[in-house]
Amino acid sequence: MKNYILNLSDDFSEYAWEIESKGCFEVDIKVFDKLYTFNFYDPIRLKQTIEDDLRSNQYFFCENLVVLPKVSLDNIEKFIENIINTPYLLSFPTKR
C-alpha cells in the first residue's frame, strides 16, 4: 500500500502526454497526513522558464521545485517513493 496520494483528475491519462511534452507539472501530493504542492520540471523546460523569468522579472523562484529527467507519472512516483522515508521530505514546505 502506498503512503501517498497524487491529486490527479480522473482523466489524467488522457492528457499525461501533454505534461511530458511541456516538461512541467504542478501537483498536490498527500504524504501520510501532510499535503505538499510539488513543481516538477525537466531540465530543458526549467532552463527556458528561468531565462524567461529573469528577462521579465529579474528573478526566478519556484517553491518545492523538483527536476526530473522527464516529467512523467512514473518518474513522479519514483521521486515520492525515494524521498518518502527520508529527512529530505521535511525540507519541503507543506500546505497543511
Side-chain angles (χ1 to χ4, degrees), residues 46-64:
L46 179 59
K47 181 180 184 296
Q48 293 169 341
T49 300
I50 290 171
E51 289 172 350
D52 289 346
D53 284 2
L54 291 177
R55 265 193 300 281
S56 61
N57 300 326
Q58 303 297 310
Y59 64 89
F60 169 80
F61 175 78
C62 187
E63 189 171 64
N64 289 1

Side-chain angles (χ1 to χ4, degrees), residues 25-26 36-41 60-66 91-95:
F25 184 53
E26 180 180 281
Y36 299 83
T37 299
F38 287 101
N39 288 287
F40 295 99
Y41 279 84
F60 169 80
F61 175 78
C62 187
E63 189 171 64
N64 289 1
L65 174 66
V66 178
S91 69
F92 293 98
T94 61
K95 287 180 106 174

Side-chain angles (χ1 to χ4, degrees), residues 81-96:
E81 289 166 7
N82 284 327
I83 199 172
I84 199 167
N85 291 315
T86 71
Y88 296 115
L89 182 62
L90 301 175
S91 69
F92 293 98
T94 61
K95 287 180 106 174
R96 59 176 167 165

Side-chain angles (χ1 to χ4, degrees), residues 15-51:
Y15 63 88
W17 65 272
E18 284 182 66
I19 290 166
E20 287 185 33
S21 179
K22 284 177 61 176
C24 62
F25 184 53
E26 180 180 281
V27 63
D28 288 343
I29 302 174
K30 186 174 182 181
V31 181
F32 300 112
D33 62 342
K34 295 184 178 170
L35 186 63
Y36 299 83
T37 299
F38 287 101
N39 288 287
F40 295 99
Y41 279 84
D42 70 29
I44 293 169
R45 178 58 187 264
L46 179 59
K47 181 180 184 296
Q48 293 169 341
T49 300
I50 290 171
E51 289 172 350

